[in-house]
Amino acid sequence: MRQLLPQHRAILSLFALLFGGLFVGMLMSVRPQVALSSSSSSRNSSASLSVDRIGTLREHQQELNAELSRLRDEQAELQQQSTSSQSNFEEIRTQIDQQQQMAALVAMRGPGVVVTLNDSNANSLPDEVADVNRYIIHQQQLVTLVGVLWSNGAEAISINDQRITDQTSIYCVGSTILINQELMAPPFTIRAIGDPNTLANAASNSPLLSDLWNRQREFGIGVDVKQKAQVQVPAYTGPLANRHLEVAP
Amino acid sequence: MNRFRIRRGILRQSLLTLMCMLIGFAVVTQLRTYENIANDVVKLSPEQRAELMISLIDRNAATEREIIALRQQNEDYRRTQSNGTSTLDQLANDLNRYKLHTGAVQVQGGGVTITINYPLRAADVIALTNEVRNASGEAIAINGRRIVARTRIEEDDNAELYLDGQIQHAPYTIQAIGDKETLMGALNRVGGLLRIWNEIDGVDITIEPTNVITMPRVSNQPEFRYAQPAPKEGQ
């Protein structure tokens, strides 16, 4: 049999490590789930047709978002070039930078908090009549949490990979959650930049969030609040709706 | 000397293993997210799937419109740069486009006016602004005050409502700029927040289309004290 060259051996061991890592990662990421609904077995052909269509629309959405981001970067570059050549454009340059950041079009970082919300880790519902809704994260809890963080001085917020803008809606269709019209699944990681102490205190103690913490105690909903020296939130990558909106004269 | 080399080898391998484990964890978590979303979609009713499809189709159309507009704007920048004419107008247009969303400028447009004669709590108003954004409202004002992402919506111990520190009383006038028909339909929908408040809680609510709504600029736009632009990837 032919001897393996050292570099082949290195590649082989790298693959072994990667697969080993994948396997361990898989084990680590498996967590008990609430047995929610058995309706998934009632899938028929027309259902799978619309499920496929939704999948295609989501893929197209990702492509469009990528193109939009690319064009925004290109525009920022062109604005930069246009202003760098003339010193009297410095003022407008500063304003453009500032307003782009405020409009959530720039990825930001700074101190803050990371709040993680997850569906209940209960292995099964206590009895047949228990309400499944109490064991999962809903639109309302995300909306209120985001509102509480803004009210306590958050300067930028994201949920998973979606930046929260002045037009962002958090919306439930059945058991799915749409944020910026992007489908999301738990766990929800909410990142907020601001004073870590104030934000963590608000997320943990605001009376507006008492329902969330009650559900954690009673039904095992996952709620975790951590202060961070550095949090990063992505830029908004969706469209800015202004078909009906204009600057008033 | 040899032992040192072996130790370094072990260290390197351990690091590699750890890195692979992390990659494995990230990959699987990502796959599980996709799988979870797909499972959620399968569980939806045909009506809910249709709703989801319409929402995605609308969104993609809006993104396509902005892509076309940005291509044109970028082309204009390149043209003015190459022929040496001033780009100040273009820069001012871009700046205004951002200001529409940050509330740094007075805005106007058609939309709807909602009147609610009931003492709302802070959580109600937070839910209401989300509902208006769901209904594709492009800008919101409550009692003549522009509401943007960072607007502070709070209440005191007596359940009095404050918007950016200013006390507000019922009746509340909520204005939303956007497509009138879409807003009317979405805000009046069965099972929507306003229908529930009206039909179940008996809250006195009216919603009317409005031809021209003017909203003032935000009273103050606090500068960032903690957030700063993240360095671009690869820098």
XYZ file of all heavy atoms in Angstrom, chain A residues 17 29 47 50 57-58 60-61 67 71-72 74-75 78-79 81-82 95 99-101 107 109 150-151 155 166-171 173-174 176 180-181 236 239-246 248, chain B residues 17 28 37 40 44 48-49 51 53 55 59-60 64 66 70-71 73-74 81 94-95 97-99 101-102 106-109 130 133-134 138 149 152-153 177 221-222 224-230:
791
model
N -11.134 16.241 12.013
C -11.434 17.225 13.061
C -12.718 17.972 12.725
O -13.569 18.178 13.595
C -10.282 18.233 13.169
C -9.046 17.745 13.894
C -7.956 18.806 13.838
C -9.380 17.420 15.337
N -26.079 21.507 19.865
C -27.173 22.396 19.488
C -28.542 21.720 19.566
O -29.551 22.356 19.364
C -26.937 22.955 18.084
O -26.815 21.893 17.182
N -50.029 21.986 -0.350
C -49.305 22.632 0.735
C -47.827 22.703 0.394
O -47.205 23.744 0.533
C -49.507 21.877 2.035
N -46.994 25.484 -2.015
C -46.879 26.842 -1.466
C -45.668 26.947 -0.540
O -45.061 28.003 -0.438
C -48.164 27.268 -0.763
O -48.438 26.427 0.321
N -39.318 32.525 -2.774
C -39.446 33.964 -2.507
C -38.409 34.420 -1.495
O -37.837 35.504 -1.609
C -40.854 34.281 -1.978
C -41.976 34.292 -3.010
C -43.338 34.300 -2.329
C -41.842 35.513 -3.919
N -38.134 33.586 -0.499
C -37.147 33.947 0.526
C -35.746 33.990 -0.077
O -34.951 34.866 0.256
C -37.192 32.949 1.684
C -38.426 33.123 2.568
C -38.379 32.194 3.750
N -37.218 32.430 4.571
C -36.548 31.480 5.202
N -36.923 30.215 5.080
N -35.510 31.774 5.945
N -35.034 34.668 -3.176
C -35.003 35.869 -4.005
C -34.807 37.103 -3.116
O -34.060 38.022 -3.450
C -36.304 35.961 -4.806
C -36.287 37.014 -5.873
N -35.206 37.224 -6.695
C -37.212 37.935 -6.235
C -35.472 38.218 -7.517
N -36.676 38.673 -7.263
N -35.471 37.098 -1.970
C -35.359 38.203 -1.010
C -33.897 38.384 -0.574
O -33.394 39.507 -0.521
C -36.237 37.882 0.202
C -36.315 38.984 1.232
C -37.186 38.587 2.416
O -37.200 37.424 2.825
N -37.921 39.541 2.960
N -27.999 42.730 -3.220
C -27.791 43.723 -4.275
C -28.044 45.144 -3.744
O -27.290 46.082 -4.037
C -28.717 43.414 -5.466
C -28.703 44.422 -6.609
C -27.369 44.530 -7.343
O -26.422 43.832 -6.955
O -27.278 45.341 -8.283
N -25.374 48.243 -3.663
C -25.621 49.557 -4.260
C -25.521 50.682 -3.234
O -25.059 51.775 -3.539
C -26.996 49.571 -4.945
C -27.073 48.784 -6.257
C -28.520 48.554 -6.669
C -26.324 49.513 -7.370
N -25.962 50.396 -1.991
C -25.847 51.427 -0.934
C -24.385 51.701 -0.617
O -23.997 52.853 -0.431
C -26.591 50.968 0.328
C -28.077 51.194 0.225
C -28.795 50.867 1.518
N -30.225 51.023 1.348
C -31.151 50.317 1.984
N -30.775 49.405 2.851
N -32.424 50.529 1.755
N -21.931 51.295 -2.689
C -21.406 51.999 -3.858
C -21.781 53.488 -3.784
O -20.956 54.360 -4.037
C -21.998 51.369 -5.121
C -21.437 51.908 -6.419
C -22.112 51.237 -7.627
O -23.197 51.700 -8.037
O -21.566 50.242 -8.111
N -23.027 53.752 -3.373
C -23.474 55.139 -3.278
C -22.684 55.896 -2.208
O -22.301 57.044 -2.422
C -24.974 55.207 -2.977
C -25.491 56.627 -3.021
C -26.994 56.681 -3.200
O -27.740 56.502 -2.244
N -27.450 56.908 -4.404
N -19.488 56.849 -3.694
C -19.636 57.964 -4.644
C -19.847 59.291 -3.909
O -19.308 60.326 -4.311
C -20.811 57.690 -5.597
C -20.564 56.598 -6.646
C -21.868 56.089 -7.235
C -19.651 57.130 -7.758
N -20.621 59.230 -2.814
C -20.833 60.447 -2.008
C -19.496 60.906 -1.437
O -19.182 62.097 -1.429
C -21.806 60.159 -0.856
C -23.243 59.952 -1.298
C -24.097 59.322 -0.194
O -23.579 58.760 0.757
N -25.410 59.418 -0.350
N -16.479 60.348 -2.636
C -15.651 60.923 -3.708
C -16.111 62.341 -4.055
O -15.308 63.238 -4.261
C -15.725 60.061 -4.967
C -14.996 58.733 -4.847
C -15.393 57.770 -5.962
O -16.064 58.154 -6.915
N -14.975 56.518 -5.831
N -17.445 62.529 -4.088
C -17.993 63.825 -4.494
C -17.666 64.914 -3.482
O -17.551 66.074 -3.845
C -19.513 63.748 -4.627
O -19.847 62.756 -5.548
N -23.310 65.705 7.764
C -24.744 65.444 7.960
C -25.168 64.125 7.332
O -25.968 63.388 7.910
C -25.552 66.578 7.331
C -25.589 67.833 8.163
C -26.676 68.770 7.635
O -27.832 68.387 7.475
N -26.285 69.987 7.335
N -26.904 61.146 9.432
C -28.261 60.699 9.147
C -28.303 59.250 8.641
O -29.250 58.522 8.906
C -28.948 61.644 8.144
C -29.169 63.059 8.679
C -30.078 63.092 9.894
O -31.089 62.402 9.941
N -29.720 63.876 10.899
N -27.259 58.836 7.918
C -27.190 57.430 7.495
C -27.119 56.514 8.713
O -27.766 55.473 8.765
C -25.946 57.187 6.637
C -26.158 57.449 5.161
C -24.882 57.286 4.367
O -23.777 57.348 4.913
N -25.027 57.088 3.073
N -26.325 56.945 9.693
C -26.203 56.136 10.912
C -27.527 56.093 11.665
O -27.959 55.050 12.134
C -25.102 56.701 11.810
C -23.711 56.484 11.241
C -22.665 57.307 11.982
O -22.863 57.726 13.114
N -21.534 57.536 11.329
N -23.722 49.621 9.919
C -23.504 48.693 11.040
C -22.839 49.470 12.173
O -21.948 50.279 11.937
C -22.617 47.537 10.598
N -21.371 49.627 16.445
C -20.972 48.845 17.610
C -20.685 49.738 18.800
O -20.444 50.940 18.643
C -19.789 47.949 17.271
C -18.471 48.651 17.161
C -17.416 47.601 16.898
N -16.099 48.175 16.946
C -15.014 47.536 16.509
N -15.109 46.329 15.994
N -13.838 48.105 16.599
N -35.648 50.927 23.642
C -35.600 52.290 23.074
C -35.846 53.323 24.167
O -35.140 54.325 24.257
C -36.657 52.484 21.987
C -36.431 51.820 20.660
C -37.350 51.061 19.980
C -35.268 51.869 19.809
N -36.818 50.632 18.780
C -35.545 51.114 18.653
C -34.023 52.476 19.921
C -34.639 50.944 17.611
C -33.098 52.314 18.879
C -33.411 51.553 17.751
N -36.874 53.071 25.006
C -37.239 54.046 26.036
C -36.133 54.232 27.059
O -36.117 55.217 27.792
C -38.521 53.607 26.742
O -39.585 53.630 25.829
N -29.472 52.991 21.444
C -29.159 53.807 20.259
C -29.278 53.009 18.967
O -29.447 53.577 17.893
C -27.749 54.393 20.409
C -27.663 55.336 21.606
C -26.278 55.906 21.842
O -25.318 55.449 21.191
O -26.161 56.805 22.693
N -37.105 52.703 11.942
C -38.363 53.368 12.302
C -39.543 52.768 11.554
O -40.679 53.098 11.839
C -38.267 54.881 12.037
C -38.391 55.198 10.564
O -37.672 54.571 9.778
O -39.209 56.066 10.204
N -39.281 51.891 10.578
C -40.382 51.259 9.836
C -40.484 49.763 10.104
O -41.328 49.093 9.516
C -40.191 51.498 8.336
C -40.325 52.971 7.955
C -40.165 53.201 6.476
O -39.489 52.442 5.795
N -40.770 54.264 5.969
N -39.616 49.255 10.961
C -39.621 47.806 11.216
C -40.906 47.369 11.900
O -41.331 47.981 12.872
C -38.441 47.422 12.128
O -37.232 47.694 11.445
C -38.490 45.936 12.502
N -41.510 46.313 11.368
C -42.620 45.718 12.095
C -42.239 44.298 12.483
O -41.482 43.638 11.781
C -43.889 45.730 11.250
O -43.755 44.842 10.179
N -42.739 43.912 13.621
C -42.545 42.551 14.109
C -43.918 41.912 14.039
O -44.871 42.414 14.634
C -42.000 42.579 15.558
C -40.663 43.317 15.574
C -41.873 41.165 16.112
C -40.099 43.581 16.954
N -44.029 40.867 13.246
C -45.352 40.419 12.865
C -45.430 38.897 12.877
O -44.514 38.222 12.408
C -45.641 40.959 11.456
C -47.013 40.681 10.926
C -48.131 40.962 11.683
C -47.184 40.147 9.653
C -49.394 40.718 11.191
C -48.454 39.898 9.141
C -49.551 40.194 9.922
O -50.791 39.954 9.431
N -47.291 35.449 11.715
C -48.253 34.738 10.866
C -48.250 33.305 11.369
O -47.257 32.601 11.213
C -47.855 34.776 9.379
C -48.862 33.982 8.540
C -47.779 36.201 8.869
N -49.342 32.919 12.028
C -49.363 31.603 12.664
C -48.231 31.534 13.671
O -48.068 32.436 14.488
N -45.042 31.560 12.823
C -43.802 32.160 12.317
C -43.766 33.643 12.680
O -44.797 34.275 12.835
C -43.692 32.055 10.785
O -44.753 32.812 10.198
C -43.790 30.634 10.312
N -38.936 42.829 9.668
C -38.569 43.424 8.376
C -38.976 42.488 7.232
O -38.263 42.360 6.243
C -37.063 43.707 8.290
C -36.632 44.823 9.214
O -37.442 45.656 9.585
N -35.365 44.823 9.590
N -40.093 41.809 7.404
C -40.604 40.839 6.408
C -39.641 39.680 6.156
O -39.686 39.031 5.123
C -40.934 41.527 5.085
C -42.403 41.839 4.883
C -42.817 43.073 5.615
O -42.069 44.035 5.698
N -44.009 43.072 6.182
N -29.214 47.891 8.236
C -30.488 47.460 7.660
C -30.262 47.181 6.172
O -29.649 47.993 5.478
C -31.523 48.571 7.862
C -32.832 48.331 7.174
C -33.627 47.233 7.501
C -33.300 49.205 6.198
C -34.831 47.019 6.875
C -34.512 49.000 5.567
C -35.273 47.904 5.914
O -36.478 47.694 5.285
N -35.545 47.519 1.955
C -35.879 48.796 1.320
C -36.407 49.828 2.322
O -37.006 49.464 3.324
C -36.973 48.413 0.328
C -37.615 47.200 0.928
C -36.536 46.476 1.675
N -36.193 51.098 2.035
C -36.766 52.189 2.832
C -38.061 52.599 2.143
O -38.045 53.008 0.985
C -35.825 53.393 2.856
C -34.475 53.211 3.542
C -33.583 54.410 3.245
C -34.650 53.056 5.043
N -39.179 52.442 2.865
C -40.458 52.754 2.224
C -40.713 54.250 2.267
O -40.843 54.833 3.337
C -41.584 51.997 2.925
N -40.749 54.882 1.091
C -41.105 56.307 1.054
C -41.851 56.650 -0.228
O -41.598 57.663 -0.856
C -39.873 57.191 1.238
C -38.725 56.770 0.343
O -38.957 56.162 -0.700
N -37.517 57.078 0.723
N -42.782 55.782 -0.590
C -43.568 56.043 -1.802
C -44.575 57.147 -1.571
O -45.020 57.798 -2.498
C -44.332 54.775 -2.225
C -43.451 53.710 -2.795
C -44.289 52.549 -3.228
N -44.588 52.589 -4.656
C -45.393 51.749 -5.268
N -46.015 50.825 -4.575
N -45.588 51.820 -6.564
N -44.996 57.323 -0.320
C -46.047 58.295 -0.016
C -45.535 59.415 0.868
O -46.276 60.272 1.296
C -47.214 57.583 0.671
C -47.725 56.423 -0.120
N -48.721 56.542 -1.051
C -47.333 55.127 -0.161
C -48.924 55.368 -1.622
N -48.102 54.491 -1.094
N -44.246 59.326 1.164
C -43.648 60.224 2.150
C -42.733 61.215 1.451
O -41.878 60.815 0.659
C -42.839 59.337 3.096
C -42.249 59.904 4.368
C -43.351 60.390 5.287
C -41.436 58.811 5.069
N -42.904 62.511 1.728
C -41.981 63.489 1.134
C -41.684 64.596 2.130
O -42.397 64.765 3.121
C -42.572 64.060 -0.157
C -43.925 64.703 0.040
C -44.516 65.239 -1.255
O -44.159 64.740 -2.325
O -45.332 66.173 -1.168
N -41.871 68.017 3.656
C -42.910 69.048 3.578
C -42.270 70.383 3.212
O -41.194 70.697 3.709
C -43.634 69.149 4.916
N -8.966 21.719 16.803
C -10.161 20.951 17.178
C -11.234 21.898 17.689
O -12.399 21.818 17.294
C -9.822 19.935 18.291
O -8.645 19.250 17.913
C -10.952 18.957 18.509
N -24.334 23.902 12.218
C -25.531 23.153 12.590
C -26.619 24.087 13.102
O -27.791 23.945 12.762
C -25.185 22.068 13.632
C -26.441 21.406 14.141
C -24.273 21.033 13.001
N -37.519 27.222 10.491
C -38.382 28.111 9.721
C -39.215 27.293 8.738
O -40.420 27.460 8.633
C -37.552 29.187 8.984
C -36.940 30.150 10.008
C -38.413 29.958 7.985
C -35.979 31.170 9.433
N -41.934 25.580 10.534
C -42.989 26.530 10.906
C -43.898 26.804 9.714
O -45.114 26.870 9.854
C -42.371 27.859 11.371
C -41.799 27.744 12.782
O -42.126 26.757 13.460
O -41.029 28.631 13.175
N -48.328 26.108 8.828
C -49.309 27.177 8.622
C -50.517 26.691 7.837
O -50.421 25.756 7.048
C -48.660 28.343 7.868
C -47.502 29.053 8.551
C -46.936 30.142 7.639
C -47.932 29.656 9.872
N -52.789 31.365 5.896
C -51.594 31.997 6.471
C -50.421 31.944 5.491
O -49.651 32.895 5.382
C -51.204 31.303 7.789
C -52.184 31.613 8.910
C -51.985 30.708 10.114
O -51.493 29.581 9.986
N -52.374 31.188 11.280
N -50.340 30.824 4.755
C -49.252 30.728 3.761
C -49.462 31.763 2.650
O -48.514 32.381 2.174
C -49.167 29.316 3.187
C -48.290 28.404 4.032
C -47.870 27.180 3.250
N -49.010 26.310 3.008
C -49.340 25.292 3.786
N -48.611 24.984 4.821
N -50.380 24.551 3.514
N -50.957 34.625 3.013
C -50.632 35.919 3.617
C -49.119 36.144 3.598
O -48.629 37.216 3.259
C -51.156 35.935 5.052
C -51.129 37.302 5.685
C -51.566 37.267 7.159
O -52.169 36.266 7.602
O -51.262 38.247 7.861
N -46.956 34.701 1.594
C -46.491 34.864 0.206
C -46.712 36.288 -0.272
O -45.815 36.877 -0.875
C -47.254 33.898 -0.709
C -46.545 32.578 -0.873
S -47.240 31.660 -2.253
C -48.300 30.556 -1.400
N -46.949 38.949 1.505
C -46.027 39.824 2.223
C -44.628 39.775 1.599
O -43.984 40.812 1.404
C -46.011 39.381 3.691
O -44.866 39.823 4.322
N -42.688 42.783 -0.471
C -41.376 43.193 0.010
C -40.341 43.159 -1.112
O -39.566 44.096 -1.298
C -40.965 42.245 1.143
C -39.626 42.551 1.749
C -39.650 43.903 2.362
N -38.608 44.067 3.324
C -38.628 44.986 4.267
N -39.651 45.786 4.373
N -37.633 45.098 5.094
N -40.350 42.047 -1.868
C -39.383 41.923 -2.964
C -39.607 43.005 -4.024
O -38.648 43.543 -4.576
C -39.455 40.528 -3.590
C -38.864 39.460 -2.668
O -38.260 39.779 -1.647
N -39.037 38.198 -3.022
N -36.919 45.741 -5.199
C -36.585 45.927 -6.615
C -36.712 47.390 -7.023
O -35.869 47.911 -7.749
C -37.474 45.042 -7.498
C -36.882 43.654 -7.679
C -37.860 42.637 -8.254
O -39.014 43.010 -8.584
O -37.458 41.462 -8.352
N -36.334 50.001 -5.138
C -35.223 50.792 -4.588
C -33.913 50.480 -5.319
O -33.077 51.372 -5.504
C -35.072 50.560 -3.083
C -34.060 51.526 -2.500
C -34.096 51.638 -0.987
O -35.169 51.452 -0.394
O -33.031 51.905 -0.408
N -31.628 53.300 -6.955
C -30.226 53.466 -6.552
C -29.287 53.366 -7.748
O -28.316 54.121 -7.837
C -29.843 52.396 -5.519
C -30.171 52.703 -4.055
C -29.874 51.490 -3.183
C -29.361 53.895 -3.551
N -29.581 52.448 -8.666
C -28.735 52.314 -9.871
C -28.716 53.626 -10.623
O -27.670 54.101 -11.072
C -29.270 51.200 -10.773
C -28.845 49.823 -10.296
C -29.087 48.758 -11.362
N -28.800 47.451 -10.791
C -29.593 46.397 -10.873
N -30.729 46.485 -11.538
N -29.243 45.259 -10.318
N -29.427 56.670 -9.430
C -28.735 57.700 -8.640
C -27.225 57.550 -8.757
O -26.505 58.535 -8.931
C -29.147 57.613 -7.171
C -30.570 58.089 -6.908
C -31.134 57.527 -5.615
O -30.395 56.984 -4.791
N -32.434 57.645 -5.432
N -26.748 56.316 -8.674
C -25.295 56.085 -8.750
C -24.754 56.449 -10.134
O -23.655 56.989 -10.260
C -24.960 54.642 -8.386
C -25.217 54.351 -6.914
O -25.591 55.254 -6.165
N -25.021 53.110 -6.493
N -19.639 63.453 -11.877
C -18.219 63.431 -11.517
C -17.342 63.529 -12.758
O -16.349 64.248 -12.765
C -17.888 62.147 -10.737
C -18.146 62.286 -9.262
C -17.866 61.006 -8.502
O -17.327 60.049 -9.060
N -18.238 60.977 -7.244
N -30.048 62.966 -1.334
C -29.754 61.782 -0.524
C -29.966 62.076 0.954
O -30.589 61.294 1.682
C -28.296 61.328 -0.733
C -28.087 60.719 -2.116
O -29.098 60.451 -2.795
O -26.930 60.510 -2.504
N -29.456 63.242 1.369
C -29.574 63.628 2.780
C -31.048 63.700 3.191
O -31.444 63.178 4.237
C -28.881 64.976 3.002
C -28.907 65.521 4.429
C -28.239 64.546 5.400
C -28.214 66.875 4.499
N -33.519 62.126 1.855
C -34.092 60.778 1.869
C -33.848 60.114 3.228
O -34.730 59.452 3.766
C -33.482 59.957 0.737
C -34.501 59.043 0.078
C -33.987 58.345 -1.162
N -32.746 57.642 -0.964
C -31.597 57.955 -1.563
N -31.549 58.972 -2.373
N -30.519 57.246 -1.348
N -32.665 60.303 3.784
C -32.392 59.718 5.108
C -33.217 60.422 6.183
O -33.743 59.790 7.100
C -30.902 59.819 5.468
C -29.962 59.286 4.408
C -28.812 59.980 4.060
C -30.223 58.081 3.756
C -27.949 59.502 3.087
C -29.378 57.600 2.778
C -28.239 58.323 2.441
O -27.404 57.851 1.478
N -33.319 61.756 6.033
C -34.024 62.539 7.061
C -35.513 62.190 7.148
O -36.126 62.339 8.193
C -33.861 64.041 6.791
C -32.497 64.583 7.173
C -32.458 66.084 6.938
C -31.154 66.685 7.450
N -31.091 68.132 7.132
N -36.679 59.395 7.286
C -36.807 58.250 8.193
C -36.306 58.537 9.599
O -36.715 57.875 10.544
C -36.075 57.048 7.596
C -36.634 56.651 6.267
N -37.800 55.932 6.154
C -36.239 56.942 5.012
C -38.077 55.773 4.867
N -37.147 56.382 4.158
N -35.394 59.500 9.729
C -34.873 59.779 11.070
C -35.732 60.825 11.780
O -35.586 61.030 12.974
C -33.421 60.306 11.008
O -33.414 61.522 10.257
C -32.505 59.301 10.346
N -39.480 68.024 8.528
C -40.947 67.968 8.492
C -41.372 67.178 7.257
O -40.836 67.400 6.177
C -41.480 69.390 8.445
C -42.975 69.483 8.375
C -43.463 70.918 8.571
O -43.567 71.402 9.679
N -43.759 71.586 7.466
N -42.331 66.255 7.427
C -42.729 65.410 6.286
C -44.224 65.537 6.015
O -44.985 65.986 6.875
C -42.410 63.907 6.539
C -40.918 63.683 6.630
C -43.127 63.380 7.776
N -44.624 65.136 4.809
C -46.048 65.113 4.494
C -46.378 63.996 3.517
O -45.489 63.436 2.869
C -46.496 66.455 3.938
C -45.955 66.746 2.542
C -46.516 68.026 1.949
O -46.843 68.964 2.688
N -46.630 68.069 0.637
N -47.687 63.704 3.430
C -48.149 62.667 2.518
C -49.565 62.265 2.886
O -50.083 62.687 3.926
N -46.347 49.401 16.355
C -45.960 48.200 15.603
C -47.061 47.810 14.618
O -46.798 47.439 13.479
C -45.656 47.049 16.567
C -45.125 45.819 15.853
O -44.082 45.846 15.227
N -45.894 44.719 15.912
N -46.967 50.077 11.637
C -45.837 49.718 10.769
C -46.148 48.436 9.996
O -45.829 48.331 8.813
C -44.564 49.557 11.603
C -44.005 50.896 12.051
C -42.996 50.772 13.177
N -42.536 52.098 13.604
C -42.109 52.380 14.821
N -42.055 51.434 15.753
N -41.714 53.602 15.127
N -46.808 47.463 10.664
C -47.258 46.249 9.972
C -48.174 46.580 8.820
O -48.172 45.912 7.795
C -48.088 45.361 10.915
C -47.238 44.557 11.843
O -46.061 44.319 11.558
N -47.807 44.129 12.954
N -45.612 54.519 6.662
C -44.237 54.939 6.362
C -43.725 55.952 7.390
O -42.515 56.107 7.559
C -44.174 55.525 4.946
C -44.495 54.468 3.892
C -44.525 55.009 2.464
O -44.208 56.184 2.255
O -44.882 54.222 1.568
N -38.010 55.439 15.478
C -37.602 54.230 16.201
C -37.236 54.539 17.654
O -37.682 53.856 18.574
C -36.424 53.573 15.492
N -39.101 57.680 22.938
C -39.341 57.038 24.238
C -40.838 57.012 24.533
O -41.482 58.060 24.587
C -38.578 57.775 25.345
C -37.084 57.443 25.321
C -36.317 58.180 26.407
N -36.269 59.609 26.141
C -36.676 60.550 26.994
N -37.160 60.207 28.173
N -36.590 61.817 26.673
N -41.383 55.808 24.672
C -42.805 55.632 24.976
C -42.872 55.033 26.384
O -42.501 53.872 26.581
C -43.474 54.697 23.937
C -43.298 55.274 22.521
C -44.943 54.468 24.273
C -43.691 54.329 21.395
N -48.680 58.067 7.589
C -48.529 58.346 6.156
C -48.230 57.028 5.454
O -47.409 56.235 5.920
C -47.400 59.379 5.915
C -47.795 60.735 6.518
C -47.105 59.516 4.410
C -46.720 61.813 6.428
N -33.088 65.178 18.330
C -32.529 63.958 17.787
C -31.224 63.700 18.548
O -30.177 64.232 18.199
C -32.254 64.141 16.297
C -32.042 62.845 15.563
C -31.754 63.082 14.090
O -31.156 64.064 13.689
N -32.162 62.136 13.269
N -31.323 62.934 19.657
C -30.130 62.770 20.486
C -28.984 62.116 19.715
O -29.206 61.167 18.971
C -30.607 61.870 21.631
C -31.890 61.273 21.174
C -32.464 62.168 20.140
N -25.524 59.969 19.101
C -25.057 58.702 19.658
C -23.957 58.954 20.675
O -22.990 59.661 20.390
C -24.513 57.803 18.547
C -25.576 57.236 17.652
C -25.336 57.035 16.301
C -26.822 56.884 18.154
C -26.323 56.504 15.468
C -27.808 56.355 17.327
C -27.556 56.171 15.985
N -24.121 58.395 21.855
C -23.079 58.502 22.879
C -22.299 57.201 23.013
O -21.171 57.179 23.461
C -23.704 58.860 24.225
C -24.203 60.305 24.289
C -24.895 60.566 25.600
N -24.046 60.235 26.737
C -24.517 59.844 27.920
N -25.803 59.714 28.117
N -23.682 59.582 28.910
N -22.956 56.100 22.669
C -22.327 54.781 22.846
C -22.017 54.103 21.506
O -21.039 53.393 21.389
C -23.242 53.875 23.671
C -23.505 54.388 25.062
C -24.598 55.212 25.328
C -22.640 54.060 26.104
C -24.831 55.689 26.609
C -22.866 54.543 27.385
C -23.958 55.349 27.630
O -24.181 55.829 28.892
N -22.903 54.311 20.528
C -22.750 53.593 19.255
C -21.796 54.326 18.323
O -21.841 55.548 18.223
C -24.119 53.456 18.590
N -20.941 53.596 17.683
C -20.121 54.171 16.622
C -20.051 53.204 15.457
O -20.277 52.005 15.634
C -18.744 54.537 17.139
C -18.085 53.464 17.961
C -16.762 53.941 18.493
O -15.865 54.211 17.720
N -16.651 54.051 19.806
N -19.791 53.728 14.252
C -19.808 52.844 13.082
C -18.845 51.677 13.266
O -17.718 51.880 13.729
C -19.350 53.756 11.939
C -19.574 55.136 12.414
C -19.458 55.125 13.900
N -19.318 50.493 12.936
C -18.451 49.314 13.031
C -17.513 49.328 11.834
O -17.924 49.726 10.744
C -19.307 48.060 13.018
